[in-house]
């Protein structure tokens, strides 16, 4: 690691899709609450956090191009030892490959429907400097496996008991079905094809996913060495993440997974720290207690990063213990 303290950089993208047939309520609230956690608890500077939301008068909309530009810009600033974080709250989707319809790919859905998929996230992670880490927290449907070929640490094989949903909250799945994505893109491109790549290239050209670009180069290797990509997903690849709205007055709309992570962090004393694995397992416990039957957060990363402190939390805890600060 280079001299001095590591930089802590973040990109937060919240998509509520206002005035559309796919509107959500809690995604902007999610990233605003996450920004508070990063600053108050985890040692991030507000100036090093880029916020992309589709709210009125937003400076930067969370389009596919803007999100990827922000991520690549963050990586370009990074050096060895730096801690990078990307939080996405919004819709996810799965789509069949045009050449092999039996295979499904996972993607997040930016506000302009310019999908960012697991191949894109893998290429982004591959550009990290040595010993820098990129943690992705995706509160979206079908988010398990969003970093292509990353190792499963907590996933479908992790057993979690089922329970009953809470009647005090109204849940909306954070998923847009492939047919709806295709219908939206067809209205933009007027192409008579079910090939999602053709629509994305026609609508977004060089800003479309690398998976569909004609000059992406050699395919990704089937096996990759352990890297510094860390994915905390709101659910398994075949599941839905929930956008929660209070059924009566009081409280704010929120994503179930983001809220669970924030609750886990809020229950941790300033001098304590949690590993990435502990954060996900405790978030699973929170969702179980709140009555979620079919949403199981997952963790994908190397063995070393599974045991590593969530977003450098260990260093922050040690600092707080020495200084005696009581952060809220």
């Amino acid at each position: 690691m280079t001299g001095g303290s590591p930089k802590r950089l973040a990109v937060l993208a919240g998509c509520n899709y206002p005035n559309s047939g796919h509107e959500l309520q809690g995604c902007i609230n999610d990233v605003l609450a996450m920004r508070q956690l990063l600053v108050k608890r985890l040692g991030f500077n507000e100036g090093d956090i880029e916020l992309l939301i589709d709210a009125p008068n937003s400076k930067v909309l969370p389009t596919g191009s803007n999100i990827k530009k922000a991520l690549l810009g963050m990586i370009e600033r990074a050096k060895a030892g730096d801690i990078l974080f990307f939080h996405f709250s919004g819709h996810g989707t799965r789509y069949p490959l045009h050449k092999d319809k039996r295979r499904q790919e996972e993607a997040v859905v930016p506000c302009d429907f310019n999908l960012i998929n697991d191949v894109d996230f893998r290429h982004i992670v591959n550009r990290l400097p040595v010993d820098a880490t990129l943690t992705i927290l995706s509160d979206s449907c079908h988010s398990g496996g969003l970093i292509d070929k990353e190792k499963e640490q907590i996933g479908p094989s992790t057993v979690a008991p089922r329970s009953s949903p809470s009647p005090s909250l109204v849940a909306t799945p954070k998923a847009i079905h492939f047919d709806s994505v295709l219908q939206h893109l067809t209205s933009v491109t007027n192409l008579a094809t079910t090939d999602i790549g053709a629509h994305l290239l026609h609508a977004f050209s060089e800003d479309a996913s690398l998976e569909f670009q004609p000059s992406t180069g050699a395919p990704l290797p089937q096996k990759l060495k352990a890297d510094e990509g860390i994915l905390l997903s709101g659910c398994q690849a075949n599941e839905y993440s929930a956008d929660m709205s209070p059924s009566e007055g009081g409280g704010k709309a929120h994503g179930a997974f983001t809220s669970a992570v924030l609750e886990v962090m809020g229950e941790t004393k300033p001098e304590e720290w949690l590993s990435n694995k502990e954060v996900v397992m405790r978030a699973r416990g929170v969702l179980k207690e709140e009555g979620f039957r079919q949403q199981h957060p997952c963790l994908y990363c190397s063995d070393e990063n599974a045991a590593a402190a969530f977003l450098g939390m260990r260093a922050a805890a040690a600092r707080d213990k020495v200084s005696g600060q009581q952060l809220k």
Side-chain angles (χ1 to χ4, degrees), residues 130-168:
V130 175
D131 292 332
T133 58
L134 172 59
T135 300
I136 297 174
L137 191 156
S138 186
D139 193 344
S140 59
C141 291
H142 310 303
S143 49
L146 265 179
I147 303 177
D148 191 40
K149 306 191 190 314
E150 199 64 68
K151 182 176 181 179
E152 176 190 311
Q153 298 288 343
I154 302 172
S157 61
T158 307
V159 177
R162 296 192 173 194
S163 51
S164 301
S166 170
S168 63

Side-chain angles (χ1 to χ4, degrees), residues 198-323:
H199 286 284
L200 291 170
L201 285 172
H202 186 89
F204 303 108
S205 189
E206 68 273 7
D207 289 329
S209 169
L210 288 172
E211 180 177 6
F212 308 114
Q213 297 293 341
S215 58
T216 55
L220 290 168
Q222 292 302 307
K223 293 184 179 180
L224 295 167
K225 296 180 180 179
D227 57 48
E228 303 304 326
I230 304 166
L231 171 66
L232 287 74
S233 65
C235 62
Q236 297 170 182
N238 63 338
E239 292 181 336
Y240 299 104
S241 291
D243 183 62
M244 308 303 301
S245 298
S247 57
E248 299 178 358
K252 290 184 178 181
H254 60 268
F257 180 50
T258 299
S259 179
V261 171
L262 293 173
E263 182 173 334
V264 167
M265 294 296 294
E267 293 173 348
T268 307
K269 296 178 181 178
E271 67 273 13
E272 296 175 341
W273 64 276
L274 298 175
S275 69
N276 289 302
K277 189 170 185 178
E278 288 172 321
V279 169
V280 174
M281 289 304 297
R282 293 192 187 190
R284 277 195 170 202
V286 170
L287 291 180
K288 174 194 168 187
E289 291 177 0
E290 293 180 349
F292 292 89
R293 298 172 55 189
Q294 297 179 345
Q295 180 176 347
H296 304 103
C298 302
L299 175 65
Y300 295 84
C301 62
S302 67
D303 294 340
E304 182 180 357
N305 280 327
F310 174 65
L311 293 179
M313 194 178 175
R314 187 172 189 174
R319 178 199 62 209
D320 293 339
K321 187 173 182 180
V322 171
S323 65

Side-chain angles (χ1 to χ4, degrees), residues 11-277:
V11 173
L12 313 179
C15 299
N16 276 355
Y17 316 92
N19 305 314
S20 76
H22 308 288
E23 188 165 2
L24 297 172
Q25 301 300 319
C27 300
I28 293 175
N29 290 339
D30 284 346
V31 296
L32 293 177
M34 184 61 70
R35 181 171 63 177
Q36 286 188 320
L37 174 72
L38 296 179
V39 173
K40 292 184 177 180
R41 179 67 189 273
L42 294 172
F44 284 71
N45 295 319
E46 255 191 89
D48 290 326
I49 301 173
E50 187 166 0
L51 187 69
L52 297 84
I53 56 177
D54 54 359
N57 303 318
S58 174
K59 293 182 179 180
V60 185
L61 290 172
T63 64
S65 176
N66 286 343
I67 291 173
K68 287 185 286 189
K69 182 179 179 181
L71 289 173
L72 292 174
M74 179 170 64
I75 286 177
E76 287 177 1
R77 290 181 59 193
K79 299 185 183 301
D82 289 348
I83 297 167
L84 281 59
F85 180 55
F86 172 54
H87 180 196
F88 178 84
S89 183
H91 280 302
T93 192
R94 299 181 92 185
Y95 60 89
L97 292 181
H98 191 60
K99 295 181 180 179
D100 183 2
K101 295 188 181 298
R102 296 170 298 177
R103 182 181 168 191
Q104 296 280 317
E105 292 282 2
E106 295 79 37
V108 298
V109 184
C111 67
D112 62 347
F113 280 61
N114 185 8
L115 306 183
I116 306 175
N117 61 26
D118 55 347
V119 173
D120 296 314
F121 285 118
R122 164 50 63 194
H123 278 268
I124 288 169
V125 168
N126 284 354
R127 296 181 65 165
L128 277 171
V130 175
D131 292 332
T133 58
L134 172 59
T135 300
I136 297 174
L137 191 156
S138 186
D139 193 344
S140 59
C141 291
H142 310 303
S143 49
L146 265 179
I147 303 177
D148 191 40
K149 306 191 190 314
E150 199 64 68
K151 182 176 181 179
E152 176 190 311
Q153 298 288 343
I154 302 172
S157 61
T158 307
V159 177
R162 296 192 173 194
S163 51
S164 301
S166 170
S168 63
L169 296 170
V170 178
T172 301
K174 301 171 82 169
I176 303 179
H177 192 271
F178 169 69
D179 291 342
S180 296
V181 173
L182 189 63
Q183 182 179 16
H184 174 86
L185 291 173
T186 300
S187 71
V188 174
T189 65
N190 293 317
L191 297 179
T193 178
T194 59
D195 182 356
I196 190 76
H199 286 284
L200 291 170
L201 285 172
H202 186 89
F204 303 108
S205 189
E206 68 273 7
D207 289 329
S209 169
L210 288 172
E211 180 177 6
F212 308 114
Q213 297 293 341
S215 58
T216 55
L220 290 168
Q222 292 302 307
K223 293 184 179 180
L224 295 167
K225 296 180 180 179
D227 57 48
E228 303 304 326
I230 304 166
L231 171 66
L232 287 74
S233 65
C235 62
Q236 297 170 182
N238 63 338
E239 292 181 336
Y240 299 104
S241 291
D243 183 62
M244 308 303 301
S245 298
S247 57
E248 299 178 358
K252 290 184 178 181
H254 60 268
F257 180 50
T258 299
S259 179
V261 171
L262 293 173
E263 182 173 334
V264 167
M265 294 296 294
E267 293 173 348
T268 307
K269 296 178 181 178
E271 67 273 13
E272 296 175 341
W273 64 276
L274 298 175
S275 69
N276 289 302
K277 189 170 185 178

